[in-house]
Structures are given as structure tokens and as C-alpha cells.
């Protein structure tokens, strides 16, 4: 354990100096003495590389000899590293959080202001971000709602032909702030920085239009597709988004035209399927061999919406709530997540309840990430898992097990204002639930009064070889009771 | 004297804040013939139950000292019977309680006057309940840190908590400790008088409760100790509504968990609450008037603390600004609006909207209504009672007011519970004609965040200043928790410790620790400073392996003196430096 102040063994050395072996090659770039390199120091005998914990000076700051300029984490400790020379910190090559081998240059110190450019050039030569740490404008957000690659058009996907995207989830329309200020919570700001999301492009759904962490996450998840307009989002995938809502009426209209942009180019042409589309088509044909039938049900969602509002700040999404609700309901109906054997002679009961939710891919595909053990995983974990799955689905990093292990599927078109629709049963499963939008509806209450409740229509498609009408109806009855008494979802 | 200091420190260290279970040895240094006589029937070490040491350790002595000893002393004091009591203590917080116990041990007849709750701020609205919140929320944080647990091969399911359960734990703890304190006083025969006290004369105090005729009265005492403590300080322009804008008093009740809270002030209190709140899912915005967070802490420690306690948590901050105007909101309906004004230019720079606002800008002495005029004294501009180093109250001309002492937050010397208790003991020593001056630089301080921060003595900045002024060479020894086996076993390698010492004499000037159990580790250093041990004295001490205490072992071993020690024992020069700026017990 090294103790005491480390007079930065590395520190700064004149770059003109002869330098040991390997890096000698690079040396030639250097203007003698005017610009000096700061090396990653060896803080212990076993240290081979170090991580920059934080820069205590920023580019442009004056640096004195012996002054601590950077904190380096070694295999043993975090140490302040002092500068060996005096000047101006011209450029930082290795940013906070990044690693560098011992002896590698991590920054350049210019002797005086006129050498600053040299320092930056050298830094650039090393591939470091020259100077200005103030450049995060990059992710500035797709200001122009890029023609979303109309994923909704591809109604089915390879492994699980869910006929529709799955965004689930009711959420209130974001409240626009009248004063035009951007109010974001501390965590939302951090996330925005990490996920490179521009806060200005997000409409907050928190109190007074405040941007919460969930808003940022939703935005990041839907970023590829969804532009600022928080609801219109073509992103059928918005599963992760808390946004698209059961207040579906309005989003419906804008959604469709948004993707029409490329239509004219396609007029009069024929394009062969992509591999993914071909797979979807095959699966669709396959599904014709299954005797499907459908049962629909209306469910009141006022309490679920209230619960969602309450949990939203904790990062819980409506998708997660629906998945959890199905998981809980399925637990009592093993038949609904069973499968007919391939030879059609028996029923295979599954051990776990794995709920798959269809997510449209930005490039037109559709994938069904799976929330495993949806009945026994808690709602917060489900939400986190889902955010992670969606993120990785978009970057195509899902493991096969993460998209083909589902044994019950949910498809949601609620955010488009769809009342009710039919889903096609993914082969190898017993049922798929099609979720429509939740909207205020005049209902007769049991006591003979007329009231307005938010009602959502769900429609289950099942394999009649194993699931019969009563089975499906009983399941829906259970699901209704779960959604209408949603408190158990948080347990 | 050194021996008695050692004993005092040891008791303080043990008693400071923690309850303890297990055997406690009571070692009494032979001091004077009087005490030797009183100790005629010395009871051997007693196994204590699980009671707070403050109460517990003295209870042992209490059971042996009481009546005959008291009369002995009273007989000595010829005028003893002229007064109702030998000592009346105004205020029964940790300071007053500590003073009362020591006074009984010294054979005095004691009464305390308490106008609110036995135990004062620390027990009811401060250190004690906040530790309960920190313990519970810390557990939540730990169990939700899946990567940390997974690194040790532990998997947990969903971790949830019950806010009311946590709040009740804090309340129950405060009630328990309050009961313990009360019983410890009653058992010793200390009279507990209820009411707010005011001076009628140097040795005469009237007490009562507003609107109550059934309680109150007037007592006389040979000596009086003021130990009235403090209340949260609220800067002007901030209306406290107790719901959306509140102080630590309300926050400790944990009545609700806002989604986003602004904490004004990033000292101990603010930091500890940020630790509680973020663990329970609340996002935090710090508002700090100074340019750095955590003013008053050693800069390097503060920097690391910022990395461990702020970055990576849902916390952001505004520094160099004051909350010039706060408009309370309605929970869940209307946000709290806070206007931020530049500390230097006094210009409005920003406005933030949050769900709640915790004002943690320090504490103000609670000295109103004492009627200090009756003893020709007055509080200073900020409300503190001026005292000399013997804790004797000074009058407006700077002369000692006979028979009146002031300890704890009310004198503002060092606003920590255990400092108040130490000052109380010191005051009682002086009352008993055994002149005593407390070395405030030996009083440890701790912040119970996760990980904890603790220190004793001066900061590196201060030490460097001293080195320059006094012309000595400053030694700095540092070590990291990353190299400690026990810390690594816990996968808690974050943290560091550093020691500041004189390279010529080996005197320890300060020790600062941030890391796992830092608050418990600091006492080896504070005791060394209190007893005047130098680096070279403690360097060869042995620490069990593997324990966190080896962090300090490394620290001591990493210190190197300049000149060879040729046995000059008189090298420990007391350091003339002020302690840290007044900080409140968290």
C-alpha cells in the first residue's frame, strides 16, 4: 500500500525528451519543451493501467508545479497526481472514467497560451477529445422527426408474430411548461448526460412538466424512432416509454402519416423480403395450422392508471405493470402459458411464466423481448429488466433466450387509439393478448347509475387445441380482477 | 492529570453516541485524597446491560458513591446548606446530562431544569433518531446495490421498505434513549425540574412553563451551568411550514418521501439527510452558499466524499448561491419554488422547483429568555453565551461571572453532543476546584453517511498554515481503504485516511478518515491526541488482523519524523489553533 503523497512518478515530462522504447515513435510529433505530456503514473509496483477518476483542472486552467491536477485510480488506491511543470492545461486525452496504460499520455500542458494550439493538435493526434469538454451538443436529438422506419407496417416479427407493436401503457400527456423553462430532476439530468439525450427535446410528464428520470429513459429507449413529440411517436415499440397513452385518441391521427414519407419512392416497385420479413411471413403461414379463437373483455383501468401515476417517478412503466398483471393472472391458469406439443398429441406445461412483449425495431423488424418469471419478479425489477431489454433489443444485442423463451405474448396498440384488435398467435404458445387503448367510457354502474370510467378492451387469441373458451374467459376474468385491484402488483 | 484526561476521553469515546452491550470496565485514576476516601468501598467492574454508556458507565459509580460521599463534600463547603442544590443545570440534553452524572460522582447535590424533552436535541431531534433513519435506509441502499452484492455472490430479490416502519424505528429509538437518560438521572438522585429557566441572580433561578401554574418555582444553587443547547437555524426569507419546507426537526419524523428535495446546506446534517433520502428513492439538490460542498471538511476528504456520496447518486448541487426566497408548496400539488441568489453579487441567478425543501443551514443557540441581564452578562451577536476556556460565563466587560458556567451548543465552541458532555465534565471539575481545560482539538467528529466521514484536530489547510506560521515541517501520511483486507472482504474499498503531524516532534495535528466505519475508527487518533501521544509512541502498537483498524496502523507506520528522537519528552506542545467552525451535532 502506497502511502503519502505521491509526487506523481509520471507527472509531466518534456515530450522532447528521449522516451522509453515503445512510444518513441510518437515522439516525433512533439515540439520541444513548449508542450509537455502528462503521463499515467505508476502508483504501485503492480500497476499496469490506471483509471482517471476525475480531472481536478479543466482545459485552459493554469497549472502550477506540484499542484494536483488529476485523480487516478490504481489497483490499490485513488491518488492525486501532481504536475511536474507549470503552464496551462492544453488538452485532456484520457477523459474521466477512461483508462490508460502506465506511461501513456493523459493530457498536455502548454507552457504558455501561444502553445495551446500545439497542445490541442497533439492531443488530437492521440485521438483524444481536444480541449473543449463543452461539446456534448452532439446528441442534440433528432430535431427533425426523422421518418421513422415505419415499423408498425411490419406487423409481425420473426420469432413471435405478434401482429402489432406492444407499447402498452397509459400515461398522461406531458404537461408543457408555460414559461418555456426546462425543469429536470437531478437524476434525470445525470441520465440525460449519460444517455446523451438533450433535455430540451423532452416533454416532461412530472408535476408542472418536470422531466423525470423515467422521461429520459423513455426518450433514450425510443430515441432512434421517436422525436420530440412525445406521443405521436411512431415508435410502436414504446413499450418502454411511459408515454403513449390510454388517452389514445389524439396520438392516433398523427402516428400514421408520420411514416408516409418514403411512400412515393416505393410506388410501383416490388422489393424482396429481408430475412427478417421472410421469417415473419413463414411464421404467419405456420400460424394458419393452429385452430385459433378469440375472446374479448372490457377492463376498467382507473385504479391501474392511478397506481401508474404513483409509481412512475420510480421508473415503473405501464408495460411493466401490464406484464406483471398478466404474470399474476397467469399464475392461476397454467393452461394459458402451456403449449401444444409439436405432434399435436399433448400439452406441455411450462415451469415459468415468461411474458413476451412485441417491440418494433427501428429498421422495420419486430422482436419480442421476454420478461421472465413475470409473476414472481417485483414490479421495479420488471421495469428495470424491460428498460434493459428494450435498449439491447434496439442495438441487436439480445441473446436468443431473451426473445424466444416467451410462453405468453402481449401486443399493445393502445397508444394509437385502437379500440380492439386481433392478434395472431405465435407458434408454440397457447395465447396472445391484444391490448387496446384505455379511454373514458360511459358505463352503467352496478347500482344503476351512469358513470364515466376508463375502459380498456383486451382480446385474447388462443390455440383451441388446448385452451377452450371457458379457459380463456376465466383467465380474462382473473386478469380483470388483477387490473382492477392493482395493489397486489406492487407486492 | 494526564491520566485523568485519558480516562475522561475514554469514557467520552465510548459514550459519545453509541449504545453498547457487553462488559465495561470502570477504571478510576487515583486523584485526590477525597476521591480515594470516597472510593473506600470500590465496587469491582460490573457487567453492564445494554444501556447507553453515558448513563451506564456512571450508574456503576452512582451505586457506590451516593449519600455519605455527598455529605462529606457538603460538609467541606461551609456554606453548602445555604443553597437548595450544589449545582443546578439548565437544560438536560447530552451536555447537561453528562455534567449531572459527573457532578453526582463528585458528590454534589444536583438538579436539572428541562423545559422540553429530556435528552435535548441529540436524543430527540438529532443524532439519535437520525442514526435510526441512516441505519434503515443504509440497509435499503446496501440490499438494492445488486452489483455490489453480486460481486460477493449474493443475490437478493426485490427489496422494499415501509416508510412508516422506518419513521417509527427512529421515534422508538429516541423514546428508548430518552427513557434511559431519565432513569439514569433518577437513579442517581438528580432532581428533574420541569420548566424553562431564567436567572434571578447568579445563584438563583426561576423556572416555569408558559400558561401553567402547576409547575415551576425558584431554586438556589451554589453553581449554575447553562446547557440550553440549540435549535435549527433558519436564514431569513425562508418560511417553515413543516410540510414542504422544513428543518431537521420535521425531517426526522419522515412523514413523507418527496420525489425531489432541495437541501439548503451541505454540512453534516444536509449530507446525512441526503444519504437517507437518496437511499429511499428521493432525488436531492444541494444549495450551498460557499463555493465548495462540505465546507469545514478537509478539502481532500471533501473531494473524495463528493465522489463517494454525491456523484453517482441522484444528487445535483448549486454552490456559491443562497436560497434568498423560498415559497412553500402543497405536497403532490404545487412545488416549492426556491429563488437562488449569488452569494457574492447578491443577484438572482436561478429559480428551482422541487417537491420539498430541507433547511440544514446549521444551528442557532437556544439562549432566549435566560435573562442573562440578571447576572450582568449578555449573549453575543449570534446568541451564544460567551465563556472562557474553563466554561465560566463572561459578563459584558469580559470578567468572569462567579458561579455560572455555560456548556454545549449554547456557548458555540464546538456544537457536537459529545463535546457538550465533555465541556460539562470539564465545568464540573472546575466547580470542584480542580482546574480543567478541555482540549477541543482532541474531540472527534463524525458524519454518519455511507461510507462515514470522521475527523479530529485540524484540516490539512489549517495545518499547512500552522506549519508556515510556526515554522515546522508538516508531515502528511495517507492510506487507502483499498489496501485493507477487511475492507476488501466487504467489497468496500472506497475511502482514505490521512494524518497530519509535525515532522520535528511527532505531534499529531489531525486525522481525517472517510470510509467504512470511519466514525468508529477515529477514536484511536482522538485518544492519542487527547493523551498527548506522538506518532513515534503509537507507531509500534499492534492492530488485530484483519480489521479496519489497520487503516490507522498503516497511517501511523507511514509517518516519518525528521530528526532522530533523543528522548526529549517535552516535545508535545499544545497547538494553539481554533477548532473547526461551529458544526452541529447531526
Amino acid at each position: 500500500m502506497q502511502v503519502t503523497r505521491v509526487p506523481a512518478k509520471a507527472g509531466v515530462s518534456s515530450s522532447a525528451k528521449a522516451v522509453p522504447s515503445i512510444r518513441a515513435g510518437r515522439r516525433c510529433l512533439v515540439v520541444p519543451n513548449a508542450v509537455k505530456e502528462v503521463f499515467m503514473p505508476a502508483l504501485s509496483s503492480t500497476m499496469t493501467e490506471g483509471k482517471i477518476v476525475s480531472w481536478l483542472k479543466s482545459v485552459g486552467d493554469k497549472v502550477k508545479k506540484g499542484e494536483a491536477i488529476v485523480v487516478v485510480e490504481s489497483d490499490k488506491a485513488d491518488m492525486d497526481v501532481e504536475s511536474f511543470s507549470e503552464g496551462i492545461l492544453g488538452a485532456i486525452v484520457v477523459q474521466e472514467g477512461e483508462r490508460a496504460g502506465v506511461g501513456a499520455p493523459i493530457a498536455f500542458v502548454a507552457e504558455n497560451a501561444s502553445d495551446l494550439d500545439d497542445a490541442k493538435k497533439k492531443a488530437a493526434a492521440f485521438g483524444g477529445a481536444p480541449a473543449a469538454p463543452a461539446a456534448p451538443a452532439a446528441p442534440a436529438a433528432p430535431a427533425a422527426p426523422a421518418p421513422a422506419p415505419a415499423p408498425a407496417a411490419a406487423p409481425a416479427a420473426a420469432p413471435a408474430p405478434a401482429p402489432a407493436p406492444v407499447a402498452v401503457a397509459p400515461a398522461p400527456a406531458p404537461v408543457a411548461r408555460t414559461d418555456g423553462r426546462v425543469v429536470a430532476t437531478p437524476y434525470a439530468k445525470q441520465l440525460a448526460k449519460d444517455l446523451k439525450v438533450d433535455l430540451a427535446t423532452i416533454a416532461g410528464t412530472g408535476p408542472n412538466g418536470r422531466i423525470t428520470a423515467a422521461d429520459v429513459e423513455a426518450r433514450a429507449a425510443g430515441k432512434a424512432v421517436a422525436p420530440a413529440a412525445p406521443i405521436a411517436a411512431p415508435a410502436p415499440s414504446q413499450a418502454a416509454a411511459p408515454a403513449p397513452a390510454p388517452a389514445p385518441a389524439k396520438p392516433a391521427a398523427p402516428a400514421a402519416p408520420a411514416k408516409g414519407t418514403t411512400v412515393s419512392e416505393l410506388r410501383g416497385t416490388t422489393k424482396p423480403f429481408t430475412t427478417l420479413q421472410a421469417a415473419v411471413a413463414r411464421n404467419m403461414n405456420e400460424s394458419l395450422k393452429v385452430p385459433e379463437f378469440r375472446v374479448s373483455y372490457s377492463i376498467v383501468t382507473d385504479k391501474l392508471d392511478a397506481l401508474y401515476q404513483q409509481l412512475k417517478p420510480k421508473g415503473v412503466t405501464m408495460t411493466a405493470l401490464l406484464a406483471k398483471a398478466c404474470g399474476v393472472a397467469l399464475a392461476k391458469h397454467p393452461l394459458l402459458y402451456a403449449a401444444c406439443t409439436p405432434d399435436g398429441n399433448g400439452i406441455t406445461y411450462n415451469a415459468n411464466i415468461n411474458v413476451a412483449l412485441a417491440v418494433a425495431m427501428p429498421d422495420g423488424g419486430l422482436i419480442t423481448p421476454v420478461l421472465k418469471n413475470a409473476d414472481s419478479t417485483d414490479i421495479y425489477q420488471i421495469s428495470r429488466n424491460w428498460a434493459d431489454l428494450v435498449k439491447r433489443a434496439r442495438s441487436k444485442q439480445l441473446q436468443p433466450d431473451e426473445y424466444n423463451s416467451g410462453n405468453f405474448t402481449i401486443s399493445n396498440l393502445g397508444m394509437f387509439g385502437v379500440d380492439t384488435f386481433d392478434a395472431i398467435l405465435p407458434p408454440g404458445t397457447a395465447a396472445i393478448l391484444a391490448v387496446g387503448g384505455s379511454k373514458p367510457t360511459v358505463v352503467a354502474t352496478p347500482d344503476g347509475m351512469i358513470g364515466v370510467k376508463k375502459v380498456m378492451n383486451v382480446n385474447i387469441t388462443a390455440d383451441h387445441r388446448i385452451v377452450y373458451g371457458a379457459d380463456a374467459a376465466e383467465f380474462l376474468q382473473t386478469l380483470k380482477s388483477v387490473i382492477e385491484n392493482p395493489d397486489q402488483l406492487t407486492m | 492529570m494526564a491520566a485523568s484526561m485519558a480516562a475522561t476521553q475514554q469514557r467520552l469515546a465510548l459514550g459519545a453516541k453509541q449504545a453498547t452491550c457487553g462488559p465495561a470496565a470502570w477504571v478510576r485514576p487515583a486523584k485526590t485524597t477525597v476521591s480515594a476516601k470516597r472510593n473506600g468501598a470500590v465496587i469491582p467492574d460490573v457487567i453492564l446491560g445494554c444501556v447507553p454508556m453515558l448513563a451506564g458507565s456512571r450508574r456503576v459509580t452512582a451505586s457506590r458513591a451516593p449519600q455519605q460521599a455527598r455529605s462529606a463534600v457538603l460538609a467541606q463547603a461551609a456554606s453548602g446548606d445555604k443553597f437548595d442544590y450544589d449545582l443546578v443545570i439548565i437544560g438536560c440534553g447530552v451536555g447537561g446530562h453528562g455534567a449531572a452524572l459527573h457532578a453526582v460522582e463528585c458528590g454534589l447535590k444536583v438538579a436539572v431544569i428541562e423545559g422540553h424533552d429530556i435528552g435535548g436535541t441529540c436524543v430527540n431531534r438529532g443524532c439519535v433518531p437520525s442514526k435510526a433513519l441512516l441505519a434503515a435506509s443504509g440497509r435499503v441502499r446496501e440490499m438494492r446495490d445488486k452489483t455490489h452484492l453480486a460481486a460477493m455472490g449474493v443475490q437478493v430479490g426485490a427489496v422494499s421498505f415501509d416508510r412508516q416502519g422506518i419513521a417509527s424505528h427512529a421515534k422508538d429509538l429516541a423514546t428508548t434513549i430518552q427513557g434511559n437518560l431519565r432513569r439514569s438521572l433518577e437513579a442517581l438522585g438528580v432532581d428533574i425540574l420541569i420548566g424553562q429557566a431564567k436567572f434571578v441572580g447568579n445563584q438563583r433561578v426561576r423556572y416555569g412553563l408558559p400558561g401553567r401554574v402547576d409547575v415551576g418555582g425558584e431554586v438556589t444553587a451554589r453553581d449554575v451551568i447553562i446547557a440550553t443547547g440549540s435549535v435549527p437555524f433558519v436564514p431569513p426569507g425562508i418560511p417553515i411550514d413543516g410540510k414542504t419546507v422544513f428543518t431537521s426537526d420535521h425531517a426526522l419524523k419522515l412523514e413523507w418521501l418527496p420525489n425531489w428535495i432541495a437541501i439548503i446546506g451541505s454540512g453534516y446534517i444536509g449530507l446525512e439527510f441526503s444519504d437517507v433520502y437518496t437511499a429511499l428513492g428521493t432525488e436531492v439538490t444541494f444549495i450551498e452558499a460557499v463555493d465548495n460542498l462540505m465546507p469545514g471538511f478537509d478539502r481532500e476528504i471533501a473531494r473524495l466524499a463528493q465522489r463517494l456520496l454525491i456523484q453517482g447518486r441522484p444528487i445535483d448541487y448549486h454552490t456559491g448561491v443562497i436560497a434568498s426566497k423560498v415559497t412553500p408548496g402543497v405536497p403532490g400539488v404545487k412545488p416549492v419554488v426556491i429563488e437562488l441568489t449569488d452569494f457574492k453579487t447578491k443577484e438572482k441567478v436561478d429559480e428551482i422547483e422541487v417537491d420539498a425543501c430541507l433547511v440544514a443551514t446549521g444551528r442557532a443557540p437556544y439562549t432566549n429568555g435566560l435573562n442573562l441581564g440578571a447576572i450582568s452578562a449578555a449573549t453575543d451577536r449570534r446568541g451564544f453565551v460567551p465563556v472562557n476556556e474553563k466554561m465560566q460565563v463572561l459578563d459584558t466587560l469580559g470578567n468572569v461571572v462567579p458561579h455560572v458556567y455555560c456548556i454545549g451548543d449554547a456557548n458555540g465552541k464546538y456544537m457536537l453532543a459529545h463535546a457538550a458532555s465533555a465541556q460539562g465534565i470539564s465545568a464540573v471539575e472546575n466547580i470542584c476546584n480542580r482546574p480543567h481545560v478541555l482540549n477541543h482539538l482532541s474531540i472527534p467528529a463524525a458524519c454518519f453517511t455511507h461510507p462515514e466521514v470522521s475527523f479530529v484536530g485540524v484540516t490539512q489547510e489549517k495545518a499547512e498554515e500552522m506549519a508556515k506560521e510556526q515554522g515546522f515541517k508538516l508531515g502528511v501520511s495517507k492510506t487507502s481503504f483499498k489496501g485493507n483486507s477487511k475492507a476488501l472482504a466487504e467489497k468496500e474499498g472506497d475511502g482514505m485516511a490521512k494524518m497530519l503531524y509535525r515532522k520535528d516532534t511527532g505531534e499529531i495535528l489531525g486525522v481525517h478518515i472517510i470510509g467504512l466505519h470511519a466514525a468508529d475508527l477515529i477514536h484511536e487518533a482522538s485518544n492519542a491526541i487527547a493523551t498527548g501521544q506522538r506518532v513515534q509512541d503509537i507507531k509500534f502498537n499492534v492492530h488485530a488482523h484483519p480489521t479496519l483498524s489497520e487503516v490507522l496502523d498503516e497511517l501511523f507506520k507511514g509517518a516519518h519524523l525528521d530528526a532522530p528522537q533523543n528522548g526529549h519528552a517535552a516535545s508535545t506542545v499544545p497547538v494553539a489553533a481554533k477548532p473547526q467552525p461551529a458544526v452541529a451535532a447531526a
Side-chain angles (χ1 to χ4, degrees):
Chain A
M1 160 94 315
Q2 261 63 20
V3 178
T4 73
R5 177 145 289 232
V6 178
K9 289 202 183 65
V12 181
S13 83
S14 158
S15 41
K17 251 189 250 163
V19 186
S21 57
I22 331 164
R23 9 198 55 90
R26 290 173 180 166
R27 263 337 79 127
C28 54
L29 293 167
V30 166
V31 183
N33 288 327
V35 177
K36 299 183 178 179
E37 290 175 4
V38 182
F39 293 122
M40 175 62 74
L43 298 175
S44 71
S45 52
T46 54
M47 176 173 166
T48 55
E49 64 164 20
K51 181 175 158 196
I52 305 293
V53 176
S54 68
W55 282 99
L56 304 174
K57 296 279 173 184
S58 354
V59 170
D61 284 359
K62 286 218 168 108
V63 178
K64 274 188 253 155
K65 203 169 178 175
E67 194 178 14
I69 55 171
V70 61
V71 182
V72 170
E73 179 187 285
S74 74
D75 49 349
K76 296 217 174 97
D78 294 350
M79 297 278 180
D80 287 7
V81 176
E82 297 164 4
S83 173
F84 267 170
S85 62
E86 200 149 332
I88 301 167
L89 186 58
I92 288 173
V93 183
V94 182
Q95 302 295 330
E96 286 181 12
E98 293 176 0
R99 299 179 159 277
V102 168
I106 54 176
F108 291 91
V109 173
E111 252 178 21
N112 51 48
S114 57
D115 298 325
L116 272 179
D117 282 345
D118 283 337
K120 285 172 191 166
K121 264 182 232 156
K122 291 174 66 176
F126 277 106
V166 182
V168 173
V175 191
R177 285 187 63 90
T178 46
D179 57 3
R181 291 179 60 212
V182 174
V183 175
T185 69
Y187 188 42
K189 283 185 208 157
Q190 278 174 21
L191 271 181
K193 205 172 153 200
D194 294 348
L195 300 172
K196 303 209 189 316
V197 173
D198 184 357
L199 287 171
T201 64
I202 302 180
T205 60
N208 286 31
R210 174 193 299 169
I211 299 169
T212 63
D215 293 335
V216 176
E217 272 167 353
R219 183 48 197 291
K223 202 167 126 190
V225 245
I231 299 189
S237 48
Q238 266 2 4
K250 46 184 148 169
K259 36 199 73 136
T261 6
T262 55
V263 169
S264 58
E265 295 164 27
L266 297 175
R267 248 174 222 161
T269 62
T270 303
K271 288 206 164 184
F273 279 154
T274 62
T275 328
L276 192 63
Q277 287 168 325
V280 171
R282 250 195 327 275
N283 266 336
M284 291 300 94
N285 288 329
E286 196 67 23
S287 73
L288 294 177
K289 296 180 189 158
V290 177
E292 295 176 353
F293 75 107
R294 291 146 190 100
V295 180
S296 69
Y297 222 99
S298 296
I299 298 177
V300 175
T301 62
D302 294 83
K303 282 191 189 161
L304 185 70
D305 292 341
L307 179 69
Y308 169 59
Q309 284 310 319
Q310 192 189 331
L311 296 180
K312 191 172 61 164
K314 303 200 166 70
V316 173
T317 62
M318 185 52 100
T319 302
L321 281 171
L322 277 179
K324 174 75 177 172
C326 286
V328 170
L330 283 169
K332 294 179 190 149
H333 303 273
L335 207 47
L336 273 289
Y337 60 97
C340 188
T341 53
D343 58 7
N345 286 331
I347 302 174
T348 307
Y349 289 94
N350 287 305
N352 303 317
I353 299 177
N354 296 340
V355 174
L357 295 119
V359 170
M361 302 284 282
D363 59 2
L366 193 152
I367 199 162
T368 53
V370 176
L371 288 167
K372 292 186 189 164
N373 300 315
D375 55 329
S376 55
T377 311
D378 78 283
I379 187 67
Y380 305 100
Q381 190 57 43
I382 287 188
S383 302
R384 282 191 289 272
N385 292 350
W386 183 246
D388 173 57
L389 284 169
V390 169
K391 196 167 112 200
R392 286 188 296 120
R394 289 177 184 292
S395 50
K396 302 203 162 75
Q397 286 169 345
L398 288 185
Q399 300 298 314
D401 179 53
E402 290 174 315
Y403 58 75
N404 66 17
S405 61
N407 44 37
F408 182 88
T409 313
I410 300 176
S411 176
N412 184 332
L413 288 180
M415 67 289 190
F416 295 104
V418 168
D419 284 338
T420 179
F421 68 102
D422 246 9
I424 294 174
L425 186 64
T429 63
I432 177 169
L433 189 73
V435 180
S438 171
K439 52 172 69 173
T441 309
V442 177
V443 295
T445 59
D447 51 2
M449 308 291 278
I450 293 174
V452 174
K453 302 232 182 229
K454 288 181 86 178
V455 176
M456 167 177 89
N457 285 312
V458 297
N459 187 7
I460 196 164
T461 303
D463 180 347
H464 208 300
R465 289 174 300 175
I466 57 172
V467 180
Y468 306 159
D471 299 323
E474 278 170 12
F475 165 72
L476 290 174
Q477 199 176 17
T478 308
L479 181 65
K480 177 183 166 78
S481 99
V482 171
I483 289 180
E484 294 185 356
N485 302 289
D487 288 344
Q488 51 187 308
L489 297 181
T490 55
M491 284 172 199
Chain B
M1 201 61 226
S4 103
M5 286 269 289
T8 304
Q9 280 302 330
Q10 204 174 349
R11 291 197 314 263
L12 282 174
L14 282 166
K17 283 177 176 177
Q18 309 285 340
T20 184
C21 296
W26 175 251
V27 185
R28 163 176 287 279
K31 280 183 288 190
T32 62
T33 48
V34 174
S35 69
K37 208 185 295 167
R38 263 192 286 128
N39 273 348
V42 169
I43 294 180
D45 299 343
V46 175
I47 307 295
L48 290 172
C50 187
V51 291
M53 282 303 290
L54 267 183
S57 60
R58 308 305 149 73
R59 188 179 294 175
V60 180
T61 57
S63 55
R64 69 172 115 91
Q67 309 309 336
Q68 74 279 41
R70 182 183 298 160
S71 49
V73 171
L74 285 186
Q76 273 184 345
S79 59
D81 43 10
K82 199 168 78 188
F83 297 106
D84 298 337
Y85 296 98
D86 296 323
L87 175 64
V88 158
I89 301 167
I90 305 174
C92 190
V94 169
H97 180 260
L101 294 186
H102 189 63
V104 170
E105 191 198 328
C106 294
L108 305 185
K109 186 183 179 198
V110 184
V112 294
I113 305 178
E114 176 58 57
H116 299 278
D117 307 306
I118 298 282
T121 298
C122 170
V123 170
N124 299 290
R125 297 173 300 276
C127 345
V128 169
S130 67
K131 295 304 98 57
L133 297 185
L134 282 159
S137 62
R139 206 64 63 87
V140 173
R141 184 190 296 285
E142 199 178 306
M143 310 233 295
R144 280 188 174 166
D145 190 351
K146 293 232 161 69
T147 48
H148 180 237
L149 290 170
M152 295 194 283
V154 179
Q155 287 168 352
V156 288
V159 178
S160 55
F161 63 88
D162 165 29
R163 178 199 54 77
Q164 188 53 51
I166 295 178
S168 306
H169 170 43
K171 189 159 177 284
D172 294 347
L173 180 67
T175 312
T176 306
I177 305 292
Q178 191 195 94
N180 288 350
L181 288 197
R182 177 190 301 278
R183 280 190 298 279
S184 70
L185 290 174
E186 287 167 353
L188 291 179
V190 173
D191 286 344
I192 301 174
L193 310 174
I194 302 299
Q196 289 161 357
K198 71 190 236 188
F199 280 96
V200 179
N202 282 16
Q203 293 168 304
R204 180 175 291 269
V205 175
R206 186 176 298 151
Y207 63 97
L209 282 178
R212 294 273 300 272
V213 288
D214 54 328
V215 289
E218 200 169 291
V219 286
T220 56
R222 198 185 64 216
D223 293 285
V224 179
I225 293 180
I226 303 170
T228 47
S230 62
V231 292
F233 168 70
V234 179
I238 303 183
I240 300 292
D241 71 355
K243 289 194 176 64
T244 58
V245 182
F246 45 78
T247 65
S248 55
D249 286 3
H250 307 95
L252 285 167
K253 294 182 190 154
L254 206 68
E255 277 166 350
W256 65 302
L257 283 171
N259 288 323
W260 184 6
I261 189 167
I263 300 183
I264 306 179
S266 64
Y268 290 65
I269 305 176
L271 272 183
E272 291 193 355
F273 274 106
S274 80
D275 203 72
V276 170
Y277 277 121
T278 53
L280 301 182
T282 296
E283 297 178 37
V284 170
T285 294
F286 272 118
I287 299 170
E288 175 58 58
V290 185
D291 285 335
N292 299 312
L293 288 180
M294 306 175 64
F297 286 81
D298 179 271
R299 284 317 313 147
E300 188 177 15
I301 296 290
R303 242 183 2 239
L304 185 55
Q306 195 161 335
R307 221 155 68 216
L308 299 178
L309 303 174
I310 301 206
Q311 288 162 15
R313 292 186 180 180
I315 301 179
D316 68 352
Y317 49 86
H318 301 264
T319 53
V321 294
I322 54 169
S324 46
K325 190 177 160 212
V326 176
T327 314
V330 180
V333 179
K334 191 167 128 264
V336 178
V337 180
I338 303 175
E339 206 176 273
L340 301 179
T341 302
D342 190 288
F343 184 58
K344 292 191 191 97
T345 64
K346 307 289 177 214
E347 271 167 28
K348 180 179 163 179
V349 288
D350 204 353
E351 194 178 274
I352 58 171
E353 285 177 13
V354 291
D355 296 321
C357 174
L358 167 64
V359 183
T361 41
R363 302 187 58 89
Y366 177 62
T367 49
N368 283 342
L370 278 173
N371 192 27
L372 293 178
I375 56 170
S376 59
T379 60
D380 69 7
R381 192 173 50 80
R382 293 177 302 163
F384 292 112
V385 178
V387 292
N388 65 10
E389 58 180 16
K390 288 180 172 175
M391 302 298 141
Q392 291 169 304
V393 173
L394 302 177
D395 66 16
T396 42
L397 301 171
N399 301 319
V400 169
V401 177
H403 303 298
V404 185
Y405 297 76
C406 178
I407 61 166
D409 288 3
N411 71 28
K413 275 184 172 295
Y414 203 7
M415 299 175 81
L416 289 172
H418 49 276
S421 184
Q423 289 174 357
I425 289 165
S426 182
V428 170
E429 285 291 301
N430 288 316
I431 286 168
C432 295
N433 291 319
R434 293 188 292 269
H436 183 269
V437 173
L438 179 66
N439 175 11
H440 284 87
L441 287 169
S442 71
I443 298 179
C447 182
F448 294 82
T449 42
H450 296 85
E452 297 171 340
V453 188
S454 63
F455 64 81
V456 62
V458 300
T459 62
Q460 183 164 348
E461 292 72 36
K462 179 75 195 167
E464 279 164 4
E465 237 171 72
M466 285 162 56
K468 207 179 252 176
E469 277 169 16
Q470 302 172 25
F472 62 82
K473 235 166 121 188
L474 179 67
V476 182
S477 171
K478 288 190 214 176
T479 183
S480 153
F481 279 65
K482 273 212 179 78
N484 181 281
S485 311
K486 187 73 188 315
L488 289 181
E490 305 271 350
K491 287 264 176 200
E492 302 271 7
D494 286 330
M496 68 170 294
K498 87 171 162 186
M499 174 170 69
L500 310 160
Y501 59 99
R502 284 181 69 138
K503 266 181 166 307
D504 51 353
T505 62
E507 184 193 353
I508 303 171
L509 303 176
V511 173
H512 302 261
I513 311 175
I514 175 167
L516 189 62
H517 295 305
D520 292 315
L521 291 177
I522 195 66
H523 299 101
E524 188 173 4
S526 61
N527 290 345
I529 293 179
T531 54
Q533 291 189 76
R534 300 157 305 164
V535 170
Q536 59 270 38
D537 300 327
I538 52 178
K539 206 167 173 167
F540 302 109
N541 291 354
V542 181
H543 297 75
H545 176 77
T547 58
L548 292 171
S549 72
E550 289 172 290
V551 169
L552 287 173
D553 191 48
E554 288 229 24
L555 209 53
F556 300 147
K557 292 199 162 61
H560 302 288
L561 299 192
D562 271 347
Q565 295 303 303
N566 39 15
H568 60 106
S571 58
T572 22
V573 189
V575 193
K578 285 260 179 192
Q580 305 285 312
V583 283

